[in-house]
């Protein structure tokens, strides 16, 4: 009697049993695939670690060496940033400044027009203190800006990058002016 009941139960619920078996097989296959991916990921992370590169946010923060404040060029750069007088690309006050303003670079071999040279010189003079800080900082061997990778990793705020770009334009303009004067040692 119980065998008949069991056979009858399986006949009535055959579709449900097949469906549940298929779901169980899919779940088992998915779990196996995830386990495989985890092992591949661990293998990749170990390979990266062997090269000496960081893998976790904590490792990234530790990898970016701490610098004693007395040796940290970032503090000097920050001082330069705070004193920088920006003229901007669309500035009406400095439309003719090379690299920092909206003046176009002359073609290779062409001299820089006097109006542009004068505007660029004026901009450099107004930022002479900034240039001193930039030269001092660039002579230092160690630099770490206050970036904490542990919490945000690659999304950590880096406001210094834009300021570094502005200062690099200022240094490039200084080099161009020195080259125009014929002083290639200062231009370099």
């Amino acid at each position: 009697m119980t065998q008949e009941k069991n056979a009858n139960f399986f006949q009535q619920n055959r579709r449900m049993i097949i469906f549940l078996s298929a779901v169980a097989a899919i779940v088992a296959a998915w779990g196996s695939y995830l386990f495989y991916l985890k092992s591949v990921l661990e293998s990749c992370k170990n390979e990266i670690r062997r090269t000496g590169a960081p893998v976790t946010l904590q490792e990234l923060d530790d990898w970016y060496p701490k610098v004693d404040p007395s040796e940290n060029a970032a503090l000097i750069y920050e001082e330069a940033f705070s004193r920088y007088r920006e003229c901007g690309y669309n500035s009406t006050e400095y439309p003719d400044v090379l690299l920092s303003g909206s003046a176009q670079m002359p073609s290779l071999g062409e001299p820089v027009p006097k109006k542009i040279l004068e505007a660029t010189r004026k901009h450099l003079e107004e930022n002479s203190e900034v240039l001193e800080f930039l030269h001092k900082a660039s002579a230092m061997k160690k630099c770490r800006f206050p970036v904490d990778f542990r919490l945000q990793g690659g999304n950590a705020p880096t406001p210094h990058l834009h300021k570094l770009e502005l200062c690099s334009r200022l240094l490039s303009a200084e080099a161009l002016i020195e080259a125009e004067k014929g002083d290639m040692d200062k231009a370099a």
Side-chain angles (χ1 to χ4, degrees):
M1 182 83 163
T2 54
Q3 282 183 339
E4 280 180 32
K5 243 185 183 183
N6 285 342
N8 197 17
F9 174 80
F10 285 118
Q11 282 294 67
Q12 289 174 348
N13 296 306
R14 183 172 166 233
R15 287 186 183 156
M16 181 61 76
I17 292 170
I18 291 172
F19 173 75
L20 291 175
S21 298
V23 167
I26 290 170
V27 168
W30 184 251
S32 297
Y33 179 66
L34 290 178
F35 181 77
Y36 167 75
L37 286 180
K38 183 178 179 185
S39 67
V40 168
L41 180 62
E42 285 301 316
S43 174
C44 289
K45 285 171 36 177
N46 289 333
E47 188 63 34
I48 292 169
R49 275 193 184 101
R50 276 194 282 280
T51 68
V55 174
T56 66
L57 294 178
Q58 181 63 52
E59 289 173 10
L60 176 62
D61 197 61
D62 294 341
W63 185 67
Y64 187 28
K66 309 287 188 266
V67 178
D68 185 83
S70 66
E71 300 176 320
N72 194 354
L75 301 176
I76 309 295
Y77 283 119
E78 291 286 351
E79 191 64 34
F81 301 158
S82 71
R83 296 166 192 262
Y84 180 73
R85 181 149 191 261
E86 189 173 348
C87 64
Y89 290 108
N90 298 317
S91 173
T92 55
E93 187 179 352
Y94 294 104
D96 297 322
V97 174
L98 282 174
L99 300 170
S100 296
S102 56
Q104 296 295 313
M105 290 289 291
S107 299
L108 191 60
E110 294 290 319
V112 178
K114 287 192 186 295
K115 181 180 176 185
I116 292 174
L117 279 175
E118 287 309 312
T120 303
R121 279 191 187 109
K122 183 178 179 193
H123 181 60
L124 291 172
E125 285 170 16
E126 289 176 351
N127 283 291
S128 62
E129 193 176 18
V130 174
L131 289 165
E132 288 176 29
F133 280 110
L134 293 174
H135 289 293
K136 180 179 177 183
S138 67
M140 298 174 78
K141 296 198 183 302
K142 297 179 181 179
C143 183
R144 178 174 173 151
F145 286 92
V147 178
D148 187 351
F149 293 108
R150 293 173 298 178
L151 302 175
Q152 297 171 308
N155 294 326
T158 53
H160 60 280
L161 293 181
H162 174 67
K163 294 171 185 175
L164 282 170
E165 179 188 4
L166 294 174
C167 287
S168 72
R169 290 176 185 274
L170 189 67
L171 288 167
S172 296
E174 180 187 43
L176 283 169
I177 294 297
E178 294 301 334
E180 277 291 318
K181 285 193 239 175
D183 192 342
M184 297 307 159
D185 288 337
K186 279 189 178 179

